[in-house]
Amino acid sequence: MSEAAHKDYTGAKLGMWLFLFTELILFGGLFILYAVYLHRYPAEFAAAGSELNEVFGAANTLLLLSSSLAIALATSAIQRGAKGRTLWLVGATIASALIFMVNKYVEWSAKIGHGLYPDGPAMLERPPGEIAFFSLYYITTGLHGLHVLIGGALLVWVWLRVAADAIHAEDYVALENSGLYWHLVDLVWIFIFPLYYLII
Amino acid sequence: MSSASKHIVSDRIFILVWLALLALTGVTVAVSHIDLGPWNVWLALSIASFKSGLVIAFFMHMKYENRLLKGFFFCALLTLAIFIGFTFFDVHYR
Amino acid sequence: MSSYFDTAPRSARGFLDSGESGGGLLSWIFSTDHKRIGLLYLSAIVCLFLIGVLLGLLIRLELIAPGETLMGAQTYNAVFTLHGVIMIFLFIIPGIPAVFGNLMLPIQIGARDVAFPRLNLLSWWLYMLGGAMAISALFSGGGPPDTGWTFYVPFSLETTTNVSMAALGVFVLGFSSILTGLNFIVTVHRLRAEGMTWTRLPLFVWSLYATAWVQVLATPILGITVVLIILERIFSTGLFDPTRGGDPIMYQHLFWIYSHPAVYIMVLPGMGVVSDIIPVFSRKPIFGYMAIALSSLAIAAFGSLVWGHHMFTSGMSDMAILVFSLLTFIVAIPSAIKVFNWVATLYKGSIHLDPPMLFALSFILLFSIGGLTGLVLGAAATDIHVHDTYFVVAHFHYVMFGGTGFAFFAALHFWLPKVFGRMYDRKIANLSWGILFVGFNILYFSMMVVGLRGMPRRYYDYVPEFTVLNVMATVGSWILAAGLFLMFANLLRGMLRGAPAGDNPWRAATLEWSIPSPPPAENFAADPVVTRGPYDFKGAGLS
């Protein structure tokens, strides 16, 4: 069946949104656990949360918010047919994804270096509530990091397609949908930041 | 086709939204250093919800989408709220 | 018979004929044609179903007498786990949507294909991958999982069997299910033919649409739950371990947040099949079209509010028991609305007892038994008495097998003549239905009684007092198996060598019967324009 006959932008966008709902609810499962364990161990969560590095968290927040802006601007740019500007903005978003992952790497390795990881020696000395906090922290930020990687890879593909003129002012739904995915990554982080780094 | 429904949001709006998001991040960090007891979490969640509202409405174009998509999005949020909320019928009363 | 639209002469074998693209396996497993994908699912799902049946027969054989008859406890545990995993995740959940949804949904709404044909193919590949992983768990790692299909903690974290591989398979299968649901939602919204308004949609499409929403909104919770199981097993994160701040009951919450709505993923499409079949064989428009359509959405919505009724004996709070018990009773209402409307459609109809109708009618009876025994389990007081007994096993087999299974067989008998253009032997089909129906009831009704008397599920042994009823159940399973064998043999023979069925053997009025059998590659020669409802036999000139 010919692809051209099937181009339905509204349908493609609807499909992407439905997929984003599933991502939202996937993370939702972890937020259910967070809510329940916070309810049970408020003091332990506050104590453990204060050990996370607020500066790293805030820096990554700024990074994601700004990259979200960049990819939103890129969508407008491609709609106007500004190819060079689009490439530049998508490139900036990819760079943010990379810096984010480097930050994450530094942050995780510091913790792991101190034996603070699931089943690690420093972890098991802690009271149960703090273990739950750190386990959730690793799983949630790990899953989020995986999404940053997937989003970054998607944007590399988009960048190449824009460069090859396969994505242009008349056909940009691939960029728009990848942008939506990237915003989702940002959205999840908007909740992770206060709930893990700033909890008192 | 896309060109029929193409709605280009101006760069100015995007940048204003971004500035608002940065400001709200600052507020989140600031209030986290004031001890409000259990209200800290609720305040942080409210600000985070407002921030995500901005991202969804503008960056993700939801403001410019049709009612159908808005309705779907509402259903998804409601579902998640039920999943979290109903769990507390158990956890809160145990 | 009546060709409602077009049709220029085309290959008599329709989409089954590969034409110039060349035949062979590759033209199937890389096809994006929704009908070919439907048949790919059909062949895989029927094979897995038969494996599941075989395992079920082994379980019954072990239970024919107290003590070890055929296998020891460990083997028995693995067999019922595999039976559950295959039947739930590989047969019932994908069954009707992936097979008949793919085969018929686009044609029923007047479309040439689903919205995302390549994504549809990906769903099938993921299904095969997930299935392969689940099966390979048998032969790799620490041996076949022995946890039951629910993977309850703490046992699933402590057992040395290969739970991780099975859980990963379930994750992949969930992904496949999500993509199918997503595809169908967009298809129904975007690809309806001109004139195919929401009130002209066949009720099968309505039910698939409601199902698709449950697939999209509930399945991700299953995804994260099995991921957590895997992470717990590998890294001992402790989220379900009380000594590490976790809570094992939270596992049950997460598991049932998906798995209860999944019950409606299983049964809603079956209800859609029955809603499409009953008017055709009563020669009457459906009674209460909107009530049936909207009750599908209501079931989908209420279905996500009641997961806690699986957990009345778990140690959950009394408040939660109260709330979930109450809500469980509410979900019975839309199901009852459907039953009422089906029966009202039959009233004063000109009823033809052809094979699809026999299966559809037995669906109503068996589903009602399953549904009403569900209320016994939904009331906390009675549930505590029969929890984890064979009463529960009988209940969900009445709903899942008597309901969805029989609807699947109804759909096979209803639509296969359209798909292959050939008719099976109707007399043998009726006979096989009779054998199946008798065997089914002997098997599961005995279980229900023995359950009420207190026989717990999931043991390979029992006290001698239960022997008679267990022997009855096992004999019932043999009758059931004979019926299944006859039915599949008859269908297979009809598919390959049956007499030509014609375009509309049942004189039905939905769109798929207006095109040739088998349907041509892109379904419609010209985009159809719909001018009447799906059960308007008079308007279609069929009354």
Side-chain angles (χ1 to χ4, degrees), chain C residues 132-154:
Chain C
M133 290 166 95
I135 305 273
S136 74
L138 287 179
F139 310 107
S140 57
D146 54 353
T147 58
W149 74 280
T150 51
F151 303 121
Y152 268 13
V153 298

Side-chain angles (χ1 to χ4, degrees), chain C residues 437-517:
Chain C
F437 186 78
V438 170
F440 177 93
N441 282 295
I442 295 176
L443 167 57
Y444 295 112
F445 210 83
S446 313
M447 278 192 192
M448 201 171 285
V449 177
V450 85
L452 272 181
R453 292 190 184 172
M455 178 166 162
R457 63 193 286 211
R458 291 182 167 164
Y459 290 94
Y460 77 112
D461 192 7
Y462 51 86
V463 292
E465 284 82 348
F466 297 137
T467 309
V468 175
L469 284 161
N470 274 294
V471 170
M472 278 176 68
T474 303
V475 172
S477 75
W478 297 338
I479 302 174
L480 183 74
L484 281 175
F485 179 77
L486 188 63
M487 183 188 79
F488 279 116
N490 183 42
L491 284 171
L492 193 65
R493 193 175 162 278
M495 214 170 86
L496 298 172
R497 283 189 291 162
D503 291 348
N504 192 356
W506 313 118
R507 301 175 5 101
T510 39
L511 281 185
E512 74 271 28
W513 305 102
S514 69
I515 59 171
S517 310

Side-chain angles (χ1 to χ4, degrees), chain A residues 34 38 194-195 199-200, chain B residues 36-47:
Chain A
Y34 181 92
L38 172 67
L195 288 179
I199 189 83
I200 60 167
Chain B
L36 303 170
W39 293 104
N40 273 105
V41 175
W42 291 107
L43 190 61
L45 277 177
S46 309
I47 299 174

Side-chain angles (χ1 to χ4, degrees), chain A residues 44-54 111 133-134 196-200:
Chain A
E44 288 86 343
F45 267 46
S50 66
E51 287 179 44
L52 293 185
N53 192 328
E54 198 177 298
K111 286 266 172 303
F133 178 89
F134 282 113
Y196 287 92
Y197 290 82
L198 301 179
I199 189 83
I200 60 167

Side-chain angles (χ1 to χ4, degrees), chain C residues 346-371:
Chain C
L346 294 170
Y347 181 64
K348 284 188 177 172
S350 165
I351 293 173
H352 297 250
L353 288 178
D354 283 308
M357 185 63 160
L358 286 173
F359 280 105
L361 289 176
S362 41
F363 172 100
I364 300 180
L365 176 70
L366 300 176
F367 174 76
S368 298
I369 296 175

Side-chain angles (χ1 to χ4, degrees), chain A residues 1-3 6 8 10-12 14-15 18-19 21-23 25-26 28-30 32-33 36-37 40-41 118-119 124 128-129 131-132 135-136 139 143, chain C residues 112-116 118 175 178 182 185-186 189-190 213 216-217 220-221 223-224 228 231 235-237 239-240 242-247 250 254 257 522:
Chain A
M1 190 164 305
S2 68
E3 271 305 304
H6 255 277
D8 171 11
T10 315
L14 178 59
L18 290 173
F19 183 69
F21 296 165
T22 70
E23 292 279 12
I25 289 176
L26 185 81
L30 293 175
I32 293 174
L33 288 181
V36 170
Y37 296 151
R40 200 163 289 165
Y41 305 108
D119 218 21
L124 294 178
I131 301 181
S135 289
L136 273 172
I139 294 174
L143 187 67
Chain C
R112 288 165 187 272
D113 209 316
V114 293
F116 309 113
R118 283 182 296 181
F175 213 143
I178 286 175
L182 185 157
I185 294 176
V186 179
H189 274 281
R190 299 297 303 165
W213 273 106
V216 166
L217 292 181
I221 296 282
I224 194 70
L228 286 174
L231 292 176
F235 298 109
S236 305
T237 42
L239 285 178
F240 303 124
T243 60
R244 297 184 180 188
D247 179 353
M250 282 315 296
L254 288 178
I257 284 177
E522 291 195 355

